[in-house]
């Protein structure tokens, strides 16, 4: 039985599974079979009679992973897994609190609030206390409370260094009292309450330390400080902790994950065994070599190097596009070619750093009639912030649009409650009017009437302003004047939504360019009406139905844990990937350059056989064209692993510059030479890497303007610049 249990393991996997019962760290690289090792370890401990199944505590990060673990254990051993403690941190803490609700200071029937329930309670409290919800937004207070709890702090323990934080802390205390009164807990409370219970109750702590002699933790690199402290408390000095993780795939610092826990674990638990699972069963050698070379530039890591016995495979394909639209068209053409070669759409994925990038890609797929699915998110025109903006635009185009009216009449919040809206709807129904016309005729008393009137005045004002503006500028005005942009800027997690609003402006610029070329002579739709129709059509078509064959679109964060035959990694430009905010951050901070590099590592290792990496010389941002420098991550991959795809028949800009043997040469001296062009990446001895964005003059008077990554835009005389083509 034991031989059969261990038969499918490689030597390192077998070493990890059969370790003596002491704390160990298993450094499991991407595609190295960590789940197999974790579940086989549990089965081996039970099969060798080292532990009773009820003495095992296994922690995962998703309920899906917990279920998979139990299924695999059941397949390996003829045991009933129902009584085993296998689950997420929150799930296990909930189970423990249910068993000891009195000791935890909870009612027997305590209920768990989800995020929306929690936000609703906070809004009720702010209203009851007459707190200005503009100065202290409910969502910001929610973030403040959850952040405090996730670092182990009660309201009485938060240090307030200013009046604003002091007020938030007071509201946190009131929130705690209200939760206790209603007998409810939020998600952050589950872990904190459980940690506090075990910290102060010595008998209970001793009981569970004796109960769980073996603790196994999956995805250890994603643990927060409080989760790590909870594990330390539960393990004590004698129990063994079998931690499996990969510091090179730690990409969730924004959720509180602390990659430093892995280094601390080795010291705190006196770990003698750090076993590296480096054999990869997913990708070909060139892909792994690229990932290894890239991640080696991170300094604060536990070193390992992935390898495979499957051969080198194909080189990584790199494509330099003139624009983001050309990049999207290239990807679509390659997807079509893969289909001809027999690769199913479901085995190809397009990855991007920012959700806003999906809009151009979706448009290209829509135009090519290729079914796609946005994994873990919504299509561009279905996203909340986009639908809100379109609703304002629909009201400007047609004030009788009741659905648009109801969507934004109180968003962002402007004090129009359900009762006021009910009265307005009753009036509209009674007189056979649209909600807009009823609102204009309404004489509702009190705050609701005043605020509804203010809303209609706002929309009228936006309509008048937009009449004289080009479409893109009109949309920019609406997202600002409506308060949408400010609303999302004030949200802690609103950065993606702000990027999407900016991308909507880009979409308008692109649409008008295409609309002017294609509209018929008898077309009488306004630009706004035509754009709204375009948005509705793209939102309603080509999103694949669940279970149907479809190309996968997703952010790199969403791709973690997945794999595909072919991966398209788009938008590899400085400022986009790595993100511009990462450059100035320290290594341990959320969003630092090292975390961005780990994110790139995750992206590369999603590909099994073929990886495309692309970037655009120019990309639309805020309705304006921005010229870009190729991502530094491309330079960190050895050139011999890459195949740079050539662009055929690309139109050259009217203004061109000359070069000989890679060095800039005075134009007057050139007899036969290849061409410099706008959008080309170059290097200067003093200013470093940049991209040519403009040029003027001829002969010895020729000058180029280069946008340098570190020094900004500079005008340089070609005769003396000595630029080198990248």
């Amino acid at each position: 039985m034991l031989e059969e249990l261990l038969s499918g393991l490689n030597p390192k996997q077998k070493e990890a599974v059969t370790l003596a019962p002491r704390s160990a760290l298993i450094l499991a690289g991407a595609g190295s079979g960590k789940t197999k090792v974790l579940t086989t370890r549990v089965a081996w401990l039970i099969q060798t009679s080292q532990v009773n199944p009820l003495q095992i505590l296994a922690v995962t990060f998703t309920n899906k992973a917990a279920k998979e673990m139990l299924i695999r254990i059941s397949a390996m051993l003829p045991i009933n897994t129902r009584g085993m403690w296998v689950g997420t941190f929150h799930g296990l803490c909930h189970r423990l609190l249910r068993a000891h609700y009195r000791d935890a200071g909870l009612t027997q029937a305590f209920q768990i609030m989800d995020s929306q329930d929690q936000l609703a309670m906070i809004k009720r409290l702010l209203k009851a206390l007459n707190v200005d919800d503009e100065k202290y937004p409910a969502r910001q207070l929610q973030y403040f409370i959850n952040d405090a709890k996730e670092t182990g702090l009660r309201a009485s323990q938060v240090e307030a260094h200013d009046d604003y934080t002091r007020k938030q802390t007071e509201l946190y205390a009131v929130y705690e009292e209200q939760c206790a009164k209603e007998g409810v807990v939020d998600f952050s409370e589950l872990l904190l309450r459980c940690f506090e219970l075990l910290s102060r109750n010595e008998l209970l702590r001793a009981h569970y330390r004796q109960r769980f002699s073996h603790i196994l933790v999956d995805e250890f690199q994603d643990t927060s400080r409080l989760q790590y402290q909870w594990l330390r408390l539960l393990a004590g000095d004698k129990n063994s902790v079998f931690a499996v993780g990969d510091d090179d795939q730690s990409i969730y610092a924004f959720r509180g994950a602390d990659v430093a826990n892995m280094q601390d674990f080795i010291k705190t638990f006196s770990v003698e065994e750090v076993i590296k699972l480096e054999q990869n069963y997913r990708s070909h050698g060139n892909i792994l070599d690229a990932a290894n070379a890239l991640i080696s530039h991170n300094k604060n890591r536990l070193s390992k190097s992935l390898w495979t016995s499957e051969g080198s495979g194909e080189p990584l394909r790199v494509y330099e596009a003139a624009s983001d639209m050309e990049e999207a068209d290239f990807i679509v053409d390659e997807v079509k070619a893969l289909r001809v070669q027999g690769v199913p759409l479901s085995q190809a994925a397009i990855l991007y750093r920012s959700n806003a990038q999906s809009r151009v890609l979706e448009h290209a797929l829509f135009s090519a009639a290729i079914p796609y699915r946005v994994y873990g998110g919504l299509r561009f025109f279905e996203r909340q912030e986009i639908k809100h903006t379109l609703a304002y635009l629909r009201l400007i185009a047609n004030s009788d649009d009741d659905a648009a009216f109801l969507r934004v009449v109180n968003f962002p919040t402007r004090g129009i409650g359900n009762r006021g809206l009910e009265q307005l709807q009753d009036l509209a129904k009674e007189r056979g009017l649209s909600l807009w016309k009823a609102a204009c005729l309404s004489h509702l008393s009190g705050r609701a009437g005043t605020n509804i009137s203010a809303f209609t005045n706002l929309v009228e004002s936006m309509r008048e302003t937009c009449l004289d503006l080009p479409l893109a500028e009109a949309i920019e005005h609406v997202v600002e004047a409506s308060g949408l942009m400010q609303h999302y800027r004030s949200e802690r997690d609103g950065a993606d939504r702000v990027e999407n609003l900016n991308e909507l402006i880009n979409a308008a610029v692109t649409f008008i360019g295409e609309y002017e070329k294609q509209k018929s002579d008898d077309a009488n739709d306004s630009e706004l009406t035509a754009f709204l129709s375009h948005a509705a059509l793209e939102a309603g078509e080509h999103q694949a139905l669940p279970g149907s064959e479809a190309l996968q679109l997703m952010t790199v964060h969403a791709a973690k844990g997945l794999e595909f035959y072919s991966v398209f990694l788009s938008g590899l430009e400085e400022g986009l990937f790595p993100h511009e905010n990462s450059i100035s951050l320290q290594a341990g901070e959320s969003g630092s350059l090292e975390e961005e590099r780990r994110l790139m590592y995750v992206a590369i290792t999603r590909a099994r056989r073929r990886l495309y990496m692309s970037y655009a010389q120019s990309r639309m941002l805020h309705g304006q064209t921005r010229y870009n420098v190729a991502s530094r991550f491309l330079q960190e991959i050895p050139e011999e692993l890459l195949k740079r795809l050539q662009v055929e028949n690309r139109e050259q800009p009217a203004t061109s510059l000359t070069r000989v043997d890679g060095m800039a040469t005075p134009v007057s001296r050139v007899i036969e030479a290849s061409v410099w062009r706008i959008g080309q990446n170059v290097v200067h001895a003093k200013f470093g890497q940049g991209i040519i964005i403009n040029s003027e003059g001829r002969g010895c008077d020729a000058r180029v303007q280069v946008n340098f990554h570190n020094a900004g835009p500079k005008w340089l005389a070609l005769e003396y610049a000595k630029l080198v083509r990248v």
Side-chain angles (χ1 to χ4, degrees), residues 133-402:
D133 57 3
E134 292 188 2
K135 185 174 182 181
Y136 297 95
R139 193 172 294 279
Q140 288 299 312
L141 182 57
Q142 181 183 34
Y143 294 147
F144 176 81
I145 291 170
N146 290 340
D147 282 347
K149 288 188 177 187
E150 286 163 12
T151 52
L153 298 177
R154 291 292 180 192
S156 59
Q157 299 169 310
V158 175
E159 293 185 12
H161 299 291
D162 55 68
D163 291 339
Y164 190 84
T165 307
R166 194 171 295 109
K167 181 63 175 179
Q168 284 185 309
T169 305
E170 291 173 3
L171 293 170
Y172 176 13
V174 175
Y175 168 81
E176 288 186 300
E177 292 174 5
Q178 188 65 27
C179 287
K181 186 184 298 181
E182 296 185 19
V184 295
V185 297
D186 55 52
F187 265 77
S188 299
E189 181 72 16
L190 290 172
L191 185 60
L192 178 56
R193 178 85 56 145
C194 188
F195 175 76
E196 291 172 337
L197 172 63
L198 293 175
S199 296
R200 67 172 180 265
N201 194 318
E202 186 176 348
L203 289 176
L204 205 59
R205 186 169 66 248
H207 167 75
Y208 279 104
R209 283 179 177 176
Q210 185 176 8
R211 167 78 183 270
F212 299 124
S213 57
H214 286 74
I215 300 173
L216 301 94
V217 188
D218 191 14
E219 303 286 7
F220 192 75
Q221 77 279 353
D222 292 334
T223 54
S224 68
R225 291 308 293 178
L226 184 59
Q227 289 167 344
Y228 178 60
Q229 290 166 8
W230 183 81
L231 288 168
R232 286 183 58 186
L233 194 62
L234 202 56
D237 298 325
K238 297 180 180 179
N239 293 343
S240 66
V241 178
F242 187 86
V244 181
D246 182 5
D247 57 335
D248 290 336
Q249 295 190 76
S250 179
I251 59 173
Y252 296 121
F254 66 94
R255 294 181 186 169
D258 191 344
V259 69
N261 288 343
M262 298 190 77
Q263 299 277 6
D264 289 350
F265 175 73
I266 294 173
K267 299 174 185 176
T268 304
F269 286 83
S270 302
V271 173
E272 298 176 12
E273 304 284 351
V274 177
I275 297 178
K276 300 178 182 180
L277 304 183
E278 298 172 302
Q279 184 173 0
N280 178 282
Y281 293 93
R282 176 187 300 159
S283 308
H284 274 161
N286 284 338
I287 293 171
L288 299 180
D289 289 345
N292 290 331
L294 172 89
I295 203 64
S296 68
H297 288 78
N298 275 6
K299 297 177 182 179
N300 301 315
R301 60 185 291 262
L302 301 166
S303 63
K304 68 178 185 310
S305 184
L306 298 177
W307 62 276
T308 181
S309 59
E310 295 297 313
S312 297
E314 303 175 1
L316 283 63
R317 292 161 168 81
V318 179
Y319 179 70
E320 177 190 17
S323 67
D324 48 358
M325 295 179 66
E326 183 184 288
E327 179 189 37
D329 289 340
F330 162 76
I331 292 173
V332 166
D333 288 343
E334 290 299 315
V335 168
K336 290 178 179 177
L338 285 171
R339 294 182 78 178
V340 171
Q341 295 167 25
V343 178
L345 279 178
S346 59
Q347 280 303 308
I350 305 176
L351 309 185
Y352 36 81
R353 175 65 180 84
S354 166
N355 267 311
Q357 290 173 252
S358 78
R359 201 271 309 169
V360 173
L361 296 164
E362 288 185 58
H363 178 70
L365 293 168
F366 171 85
S367 301
I370 296 177
Y372 67 90
R373 184 178 297 111
V374 179
Y375 181 89
L378 297 171
R379 289 174 295 168
F380 182 79
F381 284 107
E382 290 181 339
R383 292 167 191 165
Q384 178 198 91
E385 59 279 11
I386 301 303
K387 290 180 76 68
H388 284 331
T389 307
L390 293 176
Y392 277 108
L393 293 171
R394 283 162 53 189
L395 272 183
I396 289 171
N398 172 23
S399 57
D400 292 330
D401 188 332
D402 282 357

Side-chain angles (χ1 to χ4, degrees), residues 42-69:
V42 173
W44 184 79
L45 287 170
I46 296 171
Q47 186 64 30
T48 55
S49 302
Q50 295 186 61
V51 65
N52 183 293
L54 299 182
Q55 291 180 290
I56 289 175
L57 179 79
V59 189
T60 66
F61 267 82
T62 65
N63 289 316
K64 180 181 177 182
K67 289 177 182 177
E68 182 182 353
M69 183 179 290

